């Protein structure tokens, strides 16, 4: 009996193969380097521009407050995953900012706080499970070692957040896009071989091994072994 | 879901490997196609839940580690659990532990599956006909108070598994408040007969065995690497023993009728006729020839020829074992569960212990145990003798209210006891349960318990190693289900019903535990430290190490009371011995609903997800049985049907079925897989202790005509290596061990 069941089972397998491929194709079209991710509806429209944007001397009420990304996103420098700032963080400041206390978004925020419920934010930057991206390593490299501005370093992947309200994906975050940076030779010293930023401290542990070019600039690549991300 | 039946059906029919691979190939292609590109990035679909309030040490993606105690068996290994984002993910051993020294066995690892098990009871359930109706805790407590009103103390019974620490003390107080002394402690698989024999031989129930100091270990059925007493600890000692003392690699000789994991690791495995372990021990004493006094008198009759005839071990083997023991000292002789499981189990154990005395091992490889300075916290132990006395009371309709905690007697009581029928005669039955197991299903009220990873507690292990210790059990994460409670909290709530004034100061069991520990801060090594520091340090370490008191051992060898029953003739109708196999992962079956344990292959047969009947190939040929035949194993009490596995490591006159499987309740991973040999066990009791003689059941075997493909990891050819060797080897009788190292 099982013998003539074979063909149906194979056909069911084939049907599932085709249909699962079709189902996946109904997802949003591939993004290019220039295109944006989907606009994501968040439970509270969080204004990144108001928090991180540039100060506007002519109208301080409209400009941003230039808050360092890491003030709220504290986990990014401590862990592989950035996480979402705890609600407590928002309340920590907002409980003493009376001027906006009755704005609809802040009222909504305090509703969650009073109920001690977490805000169900939607995930904007998602990587497949087989990719291990490490926030901590990137922050160590660019912010601590090379002393780059925080918004520039975060912006490599997250775009110009100070111009956004709720965050929206700006980059493809696909492997080719990651590799486009990791496979490039980057100067790790200034001309004459002087370390950039705070790297002198790090070089005391491990000097870059790459050769110097004509201008005595040492260039090196970011880690680009497969296993760096696919562990 | 594919259950065992359909696996067998698939396996037994021409849906062969090639077809299977074809299907697998197509579905694999499907996965590969759909997984391509970056379409699996799902922006804006998943919710990321952040903390409302976060402590400084909580960082997403970074693990926090807590020390606690393993509750999978009663060895009391100290564990260290990794917690991430408020979820416990992995358990390992606590390196500070004297018992497991940072290691943990497979059973312990599966502890997370006990915690996250989908079949846990989540609400208090009250019987309504054949259904359980969810009720509130208040109602449940009120109901217990109502049922206890006007009931005499001796009409109440409390059945529990082994327990120790503050919970034991608190429960004792509760039972006192009820005016009952009927606390029956029942562990289906516990070395009770050996404990009793040890008291006679050494003056203590469980001395400390030092495998690491021994040059020869002669083990009579003690599966110390698998399931005996404290296997993780013994495994580490065993590694030391193999490295050797004074450059002499330890030699392990295992004597048993059914090969255990330890037997498989032995240098020499000697098969004995079931039940004749003690006779062999006396035979070895006879050959040693160093015994004096009444011992010499006793063993005079046990000359090698007679012993060989009775035990089936050849004269030359007996002489070789004796020669090895004479040559290498100190040695260690162990009496295990295979030796004690007979009506004359005490005699077996006594003869084996006598061998230790004669060899002068007491004080060398057998040391006095340490005990905690709080005797009221010492473990309560018990075995089937306790269950029998409860069962007799139940049969007589003596009990109006019966409580059950951490035992599953409906599953583990020998079938001939008819425990299920007798249990039904109790007036009101309360079960404190993690799962709706066989016993909980018979109860009138089921109260859901916290898992061991959610609950507070203390535990005093029976077998302690370097010094005395009290193990701390603390929650590794918050409750998964809102309506489960810790056993300590339940007992405290019940106590408050009886003695409100005395216990009103304790808000919950945590407060009681903390209070009790702080009260004895000085004795627990926290003298001069403030309360909070002491408490936090204790929780951080997860162990309270104490100096403990060490007693002295009796070193006097005596043959008093050692009389073996006359040689029994074979049973005509039931010619085979039934040996219940105790496996390292399933034990008495309380954790069978953890799928990792079902899935991990039995170390000797590599069978998964099912029971089997081990039969010696010679016997099988005689009966015309091949591997995979479904046979009916019938005892005087009942019968079970299971697949045959041909196993050269069993005495031809015995068959073995592993215990732990064959649940007809408990949960999706346990129910309906395999058979339960407890069901067909006769009620033969050990003569001196009254414990169940687990190996005394006699059975017969008949073919049913069905045959299945045994689902196992090893090759279908019965592990034949097609003429190739894994490693070259020489049998031990061809080498002179003294020249080898």
């Amino acid at each position: 009996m099982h013998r003539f069941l074979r063909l149906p089972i194979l056909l069911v397998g084939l049907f599932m193969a085709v249909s699962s491929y079709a189902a996946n194709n109904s997802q949003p079209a591939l993004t290019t380097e220039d295109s944006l991710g989907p606009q994501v509806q968040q439970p509270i429209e969080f204004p990144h521009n108001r928090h991180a944007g540039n100060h506007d001397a002519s109208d301080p009420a409209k400009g941003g407050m230039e808050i360092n990304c890491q003030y709220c996103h504290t986990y990014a420098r401590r862990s592989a995953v950035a996480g979402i700032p705890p609600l407590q963080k928002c309340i920590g400041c907002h409980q003493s900012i009376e001027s906006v206390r009755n704005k609809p978004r802040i009222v909504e925020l305090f509703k969650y706080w009073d109920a001690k419920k977490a805000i169900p934010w939607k995930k904007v930057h998602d990587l497949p499970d087989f990719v291990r991206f490490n926030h901590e390593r990137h922050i160590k490299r660019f912010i601590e070692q090379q002393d780059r501005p925080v918004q520039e370093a975060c912006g490599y992947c997250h775009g110009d957040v100070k111009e956004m309200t709720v965050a929206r994906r700006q980059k493809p975050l696909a492997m080719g896009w990651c590799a486009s940076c990791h496979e490039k030779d980057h100067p790790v010293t200034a001309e004459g071989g002087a370390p950039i930023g705070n790297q002198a401290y790090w070089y005391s542990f491990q000097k870059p091994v790459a050769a110097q070019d004509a201008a005595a600039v040492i260039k090196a690549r970011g880690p680009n072994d497969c296993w760096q991300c696919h562990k | 879901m594919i259950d065992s039946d359909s696996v067998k059906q698939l396996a037994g029919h021409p849906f062969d490997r090639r077809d299977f691979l074809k299907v697998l190939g197509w579905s694999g292609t499907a996965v590969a196609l759909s997984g391509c590109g970056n379409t699996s990035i799902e922006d804006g679909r998943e919710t990321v839940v952040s903390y409302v309030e976060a402590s400084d040490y909580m960082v997403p993606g970074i693990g926090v580690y807590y020390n606690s105690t393993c509750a999978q068996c009663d060895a009391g290994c100290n564990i260290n659990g990794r917690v991430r984002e408020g979820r416990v993910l992995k358990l390992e051993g606590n390196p500070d532990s004297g018992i497991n020294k940072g290691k943990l066995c497979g059973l312990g690892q599966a502890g997370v599956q006990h915690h996250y098990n989908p079949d846990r009871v989540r609400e208090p359930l009250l019987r309504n006909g054949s259904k359980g109706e969810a009720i509130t805790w208040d109602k449940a407590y009120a109901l217990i108070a109502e049922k206890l009103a006007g009931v005499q103390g001796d009409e109440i019974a409390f059945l529990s598994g082994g327990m120790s620490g503050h919970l034991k003390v608190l429960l004792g107080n509760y039972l006192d408040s009820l005016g009952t002394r009927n606390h029956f402690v029942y562990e289906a698989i516990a070395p009770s007969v050996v404990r009793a024999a040890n008291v006679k031989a050494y003056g203590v129930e469980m001395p400390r065995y030092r495998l690491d100091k021994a040059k020869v270990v002669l083990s009579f059925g003690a599966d110390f690497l698998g399931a005996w007493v404290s296997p993780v600890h013994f495994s580490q000692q065993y590694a030391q023993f193999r490295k050797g003392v004074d450059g002499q690699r330890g030699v392990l000789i295992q004597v048993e009728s059914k090969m255990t994991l330890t037997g498989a690791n032995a240098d020499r495995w000697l098969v004995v006729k079931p039940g004749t372990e003690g006779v062999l021990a006396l035979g070895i004493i006879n050959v040693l020839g160093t015994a004096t006094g009444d011992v010499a008198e006793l063993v005079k009759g046990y000359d090698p020829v007679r012993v060989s005839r009775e035990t089936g071990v050849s004269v030359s083997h007996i002489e070789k074992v004796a020669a090895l023991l004479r040559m290498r000292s100190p040695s260690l002789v162990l009496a295990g569960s295979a030796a004690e499981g007979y009506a004359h189990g005490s005699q077996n154990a006594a003869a084996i212990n006598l061998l230790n005395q004669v060899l002068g091992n007491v004080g060398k490889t057998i040391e006095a145990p340490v005990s905690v300075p709080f005797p009221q916290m010492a473990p309560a132990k018990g075995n089937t003798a306790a269950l029998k006395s409860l069962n007799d009371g139940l049969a007589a309709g003596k009990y109006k209210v019966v409580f059950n905690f951490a035992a599953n007697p409906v599953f583990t009581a020998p079938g001939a006891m008819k425990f299920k029928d007798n249990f039904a005669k109790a007036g009101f039955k309360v079960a404190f349960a993690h799962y709706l197991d066989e016993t909980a299903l018979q109860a009138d009220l089921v109260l859901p318990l916290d898992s061991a990873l959610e609950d507070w507690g203390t535990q005093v292990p029976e077998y302690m190693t370097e010094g005395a210790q009290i193990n701390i059990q603390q929650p590794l994460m918050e409750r998964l289900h809102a309506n489960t409670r810790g056993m300590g909290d339940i007992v405290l709530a019940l106590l408050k019903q009886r003695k409100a004034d005395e216990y009103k100061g304790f808000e919950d069991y945590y407060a009681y535990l903390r209070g009790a520990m702080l009260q004895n801060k000085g004795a627990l090594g926290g003298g001069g430290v403030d309360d909070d520091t002491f408490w936090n340090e204790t929780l951080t370490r997860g162990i309270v190490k104490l100096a403990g008191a060490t007693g002295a051992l009796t070193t006097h060898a005596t043959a008093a009371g050692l009389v073996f029953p006359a040689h029994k003739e074979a049973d005509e109708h039931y010619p085979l011995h039934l040996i219940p196999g105790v496996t390292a992962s399933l034990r008495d079956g309380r954790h069978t609903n953890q799928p990792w344990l079902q899935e991990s292959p039995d170390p000797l047969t590599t069978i998964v997800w099912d029971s089997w009947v081990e039969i010696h190939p010679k016997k099988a040929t005689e009966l015309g049985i091949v591997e995979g035949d479904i046979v009916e194993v019938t005892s005087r009490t009942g019968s079970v049907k299971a697949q045959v596995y041909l196993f050269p490591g069993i005495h031809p006159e015995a068959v073995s079925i592993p215990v732990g499987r064959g649940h007809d309740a408990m949960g999706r991973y346990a129910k309906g897989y395999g058979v339960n040999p407890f069901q067909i066990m006769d009620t033969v009791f050990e003569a001196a202790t009254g414990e169940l003689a687990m190996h005394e059941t006699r059975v017969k075997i008949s073919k049913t005509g069905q045959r299945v493909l045994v689902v196992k990891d090893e090759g279908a050819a019965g592990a034949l290596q097609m003429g190739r060797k894994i490693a070259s080897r020489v049998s031990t009788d061809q080498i002179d061990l003294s020249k080898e190292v």
Side-chain angles (χ1 to χ4, degrees):
Chain A
M1 188 190 100
H2 283 273
R3 211 171 172 78
F4 71 81
L5 269 179
R6 281 186 199 175
L7 188 63
I9 289 174
L10 290 180
L11 286 178
V12 167
L14 188 59
F15 173 72
M16 280 165 62
V18 173
S19 56
S20 62
Y21 184 62
N24 266 310
N25 268 358
S26 64
Q27 287 188 353
L30 297 183
T31 49
T32 68
E33 215 163 317
D34 311 318
S35 71
L36 297 169
Q39 189 77 52
V40 177
Q41 202 72 39
Q42 297 288 9
I44 296 176
E45 193 202 8
F46 180 84
H48 277 95
N49 52 357
R50 189 84 179 94
H51 290 85
N54 294 330
H55 181 66
D56 185 346
S58 60
D59 185 3
K62 286 272 183 306
M65 281 169 288
E66 299 186 0
I67 300 171
N68 188 321
C69 306
Q70 298 190 74
Y71 180 76
C72 299
H73 296 282
T74 51
Y75 301 133
R77 65 176 178 276
R78 298 193 171 102
S79 170
V81 295
I84 298 290
L87 185 50
Q88 190 185 19
K89 198 95 193 174
C90 313
I91 302 300
C93 292
H94 275 279
Q95 64 187 357
S96 39
I97 308 178
E98 287 300 328
S99 58
V100 293
R101 186 69 180 77
N102 292 321
K103 295 280 169 82
R105 290 187 296 219
I106 307 297
V107 170
E108 188 73 6
L109 178 73
F110 272 88
K111 267 190 208 160
Y112 281 106
W113 176 249
D114 293 337
K116 288 282 180 285
K117 273 179 74 178
I119 304 172
W121 300 107
K122 289 286 178 219
K123 198 170 185 179
V124 174
H125 299 91
D126 190 22
L127 293 181
D129 287 349
F130 50 83
V131 180
R132 246 179 94 91
F133 176 85
N134 193 328
H135 280 89
E136 188 186 357
R137 291 286 296 274
H138 287 83
I139 290 177
K140 280 247 152 62
R141 177 70 185 154
F142 296 114
I143 299 175
E144 294 181 22
Q145 296 185 3
Q146 299 197 341
D147 216 8
R148 305 266 179 93
V150 174
Q151 286 198 344
E152 181 197 315
C154 299
Y156 295 153
C157 304
H158 292 292
D160 197 6
V161 174
K162 59 179 184 283
E163 300 296 325
M164 302 176 197
T165 54
V166 296
R168 187 171 178 188
R169 183 163 57 75
Q170 307 286 312
K171 307 287 178 187
L173 306 186
M175 184 173 137
W177 179 81
C178 296
S180 70
C181 202
H182 276 252
E183 288 185 340
K184 215 187 275 174
D185 285 331
H186 297 278
V188 291
T189 63
E191 278 186 29
I196 301 172
N198 292 334
Q199 294 190 98
Y201 170 73
W202 301 97
Y203 286 178
S204 65
F205 302 112
Q206 191 182 13
K207 288 201 171 63
V209 288
Q212 297 182 353
D213 67 2
V217 172
I218 296 178
K219 288 189 172 179
R221 285 181 182 187
N224 53 21
D225 271 323
C226 306
W227 61 266
Q228 293 284 355
C229 308
H230 303 295
K231 310 204 181 211
Chain B
M1 191 186 142
I2 298 180
D3 58 22
S4 62
D5 278 350
S6 46
V7 166
K8 275 179 215 155
Q9 220 174 5
L10 281 177
H13 286 87
F15 185 90
D16 60 21
R17 188 165 164 268
R18 184 165 295 185
D19 287 343
F20 180 67
L21 288 178
K22 273 187 216 161
V23 175
L24 204 67
W26 280 109
S27 25
T29 316
V31 172
L33 284 174
S34 58
C36 276
N38 64 354
T39 49
S40 55
I41 296 179
E42 299 186 320
D43 298 328
R45 293 182 182 205
E46 257 178 62
T47 302
V48 272
V49 180
S50 66
Y51 290 110
V52 175
E53 292 170 281
S55 306
D56 282 349
Y57 61 84
M58 291 169 159
V59 178
I62 305 281
V64 187
Y65 296 79
Y66 293 96
N67 285 328
S68 187
T69 301
C70 184
Q72 294 277 91
C73 81
D74 49 13
C77 292
N78 302 99
I79 55 170
N80 180 268
R82 178 174 184 229
V83 181
R84 219 193 70 191
E85 280 109 78
R87 291 280 182 276
V88 53
L89 299 182
K90 182 77 162 71
L91 305 177
E92 288 294 352
N94 176 353
D96 284 344
S97 170
I99 294 175
N100 55 320
K101 297 191 178 70
K103 303 290 183 279
L104 196 63
C105 69
L107 179 61
Q109 294 280 357
V112 285
Q113 291 202 324
H114 175 60
H115 173 64
Y116 291 113
N117 205 293
D119 297 314
R120 278 177 60 190
V121 194
R122 300 175 190 198
E123 306 283 340
L125 299 172
L126 178 63
R127 175 174 294 283
N128 182 3
S130 64
K131 288 257 185 317
E133 214 168 67
I135 59 168
T136 64
W137 277 95
D138 287 342
K139 199 172 163 199
Y141 287 140
L143 196 64
I144 293 176
E146 181 196 316
K147 296 289 179 183
L148 284 172
V151 174
Q152 298 294 312
D154 56 6
E155 293 168 333
I156 301 167
F158 199 106
L159 177 68
S160 81
M163 57 198 302
S164 64
H166 289 94
L167 183 60
K168 180 194 155 198
V169 177
L170 205 58
L171 181 65
N173 293 350
Y174 177 57
L175 296 180
D176 282 348
S177 77
L178 294 176
T180 180
R181 292 170 166 277
N182 301 327
H183 183 192
F184 300 96
V185 181
Y186 166 57
E187 286 286 331
I189 295 162
S192 292
V193 177
V194 167
R195 279 180 196 138
N198 285 349
V199 169
K200 280 187 192 157
Y202 312 129
V204 294
E205 282 194 336
M206 253 313 147
R208 279 192 294 174
Y209 297 113
R210 299 296 303 264
L211 277 81
D212 53 336
K213 286 185 173 178
K215 293 178 182 169
V216 183
V217 170
L218 174 58
S219 159
F220 288 84
D223 185 17
F224 57 83
L225 298 177
W228 191 65
V229 182
S230 193
V232 180
H233 177 70
F234 288 138
S235 300
Q236 291 178 333
Q237 281 200 342
Y238 174 76
Q240 206 59 44
F241 156 81
R242 287 303 206 186
K243 279 180 195 159
V245 184
D246 308 337
Q248 285 186 309
R249 179 181 183 274
V251 178
L252 171 62
I253 303 163
Q254 184 88 357
V255 179
E256 55 199 1
S257 316
K258 171 221 158 5
M259 186 182 274
T260 57
L261 180 59
T262 311
N265 280 284
D267 296 290
R268 172 63 70 188
W269 182 76
L270 295 175
V271 61
V272 285
K273 216 161 165 239
T276 60
E277 287 85 353
V279 173
L280 181 62
L282 295 183
I284 294 170
I285 298 175
N286 176 301
V287 178
L288 281 171
T290 52
T292 52
D294 62 348
V295 181
E297 197 62 36
L298 171 77
V299 300
K300 209 157 61 181
Y302 291 88
D303 59 278
V305 177
R306 175 192 161 187
V307 171
S308 176
R309 193 178 58 239
E310 284 186 21
T311 63
V313 179
S314 73
V315 173
S316 81
H317 274 138
I318 298 171
E319 281 168 352
K320 271 180 195 160
V321 172
L324 189 66
L325 288 170
R326 208 182 286 131
M327 196 178 1
R328 295 181 147 211
S329 180
S331 53
L332 175 62
V333 187
L334 298 171
S337 42
E340 69 178 305
Y342 299 91
H344 59 281
S346 283
Q347 308 293 336
N348 270 347
I352 293 162
N353 287 342
L354 192 60
L355 181 52
N356 263 325
Q357 297 279 18
V358 169
L359 288 164
N361 295 331
V362 182
K364 289 179 188 159
T365 53
I366 296 178
E367 294 179 352
V370 283
S371 55
V372 288
F374 307 100
Q376 70 276 25
M377 284 172 66
K381 290 162 279 196
N383 200 331
T384 316
L387 186 71
K388 183 176 182 294
S389 100
L390 171 67
N391 189 53
D392 292 347
L394 285 168
K398 199 174 137 193
Y399 299 116
K400 289 191 176 153
V401 181
V402 178
F403 297 93
N404 176 56
F405 165 64
N408 185 5
V410 174
F411 178 76
T412 55
M417 225 180 219
K418 305 215 177 305
F419 185 84
K420 188 174 166 182
D421 301 341
N422 293 330
F423 193 47
K425 292 179 188 162
F428 186 68
K429 303 172 285 291
V430 184
F432 307 95
H434 292 107
Y435 307 105
L436 278 179
D437 58 24
E438 287 80 355
T439 308
L441 274 186
Q442 304 304 317
D444 300 302
L445 179 65
V446 178
L447 298 177
L449 294 176
D450 283 344
S451 83
L453 304 181
E454 300 167 327
D455 200 3
W456 286 98
T458 49
Q459 188 225 16
V460 176
E462 181 196 359
Y463 190 86
M464 286 185 285
T465 54
E466 286 153 2
Q469 68 181 62
I470 298 173
N471 294 337
I472 306 289
Q473 184 192 337
Q474 61 179 320
L476 299 190
M477 61 175 279
E478 293 203 356
R479 279 195 183 102
L480 278 175
H481 311 297
N483 270 335
T484 59
R485 293 286 176 271
M487 187 59 190
D489 282 317
I490 298 173
V491 175
L492 189 66
L494 293 174
L495 247 175
K496 282 179 181 171
Q497 290 179 347
R498 315 292 302 185
K499 293 177 171 179
D501 285 346
E502 222 171 290
Y503 289 90
K504 67 173 183 242
F506 303 112
E507 194 196 331
D508 51 15
Y509 182 57
Y510 169 78
Y512 171 82
L513 201 63
R514 189 175 189 273
M517 294 284 283
L518 291 180
Q519 210 171 33
N520 293 306
K521 197 170 65 173
L524 295 170
V529 186
D530 75 85
D531 284 3
D532 285 344
T533 311
F534 167 73
W535 181 242
N536 288 337
E537 279 180 359
T538 301
L539 296 188
T540 307
R541 282 195 295 266
I543 314 169
V544 181
K545 290 190 178 179
L546 302 165
T550 311
L553 294 179
T554 317
T555 52
H556 175 65
T558 173
L562 196 58
V563 185
F564 275 89
H567 187 63
K568 262 191 281 184
E569 287 306 312
D571 192 315
E572 203 179 302
H573 302 287
Y574 298 93
L576 299 166
H577 287 262
L578 173 68
I579 299 181
V582 180
T583 63
S585 50
L586 290 181
R587 307 287 177 96
D588 62 358
R590 70 180 63 185
H591 297 305
T592 311
N593 203 38
Q594 297 165 14
W596 284 348
L597 301 179
Q598 288 270 29
E599 183 74 22
S600 52
D602 174 70
L604 295 175
T605 62
T606 75
I607 294 172
V608 294
W609 287 98
D610 206 350
S611 297
W612 63 91
V613 183
E614 283 167 24
I615 301 179
H616 194 275
K618 264 188 216 160
K619 191 78 195 174
T621 315
E622 199 179 294
L623 297 169
I625 291 171
V626 298
E627 179 177 299
D629 274 350
I630 303 282
V631 292
E632 184 166 23
V633 180
T634 311
S635 74
R636 285 191 175 77
T637 303
S639 73
V640 291
K641 285 179 192 166
Q643 58 188 0
V644 161
Y645 180 82
L646 301 189
F647 189 54
I650 190 161
H651 194 278
E653 297 308 315
V655 294
S656 173
I657 305 176
V659 298
R661 288 202 176 91
H663 282 277
D664 47 23
M666 195 177 223
R668 66 195 73 182
Y669 306 114
K671 187 178 174 182
Y673 291 98
V675 296
N676 179 11
F678 282 117
Q679 262 174 22
I680 60 166
M681 265 184 223
D682 297 338
T683 40
V684 181
F685 292 94
E686 203 281 320
T689 58
E691 300 294 353
L692 179 70
M694 277 186 60
H695 293 227
E696 279 287 10
T697 303
R698 304 298 179 97
V699 292
K700 63 181 177 193
I701 279 189
S702 52
K703 287 206 279 185
T704 61
Q706 290 165 288
R707 185 175 296 169
V708 292
L709 203 68
V710 178
V711 181
K712 58 180 182 174
D713 278 6
E714 74 174 10
L720 284 182
Q721 291 163 36
M722 314 302 281
R724 289 166 305 200
K725 285 179 181 172
I726 294 173
S728 319
R729 57 186 185 192
V730 178
S731 76
T732 44
D733 35 346
Q734 285 170 19
I735 46 171
D736 181 353
L737 286 166
S738 62
K739 287 181 186 157
E740 280 300 312
V741 184

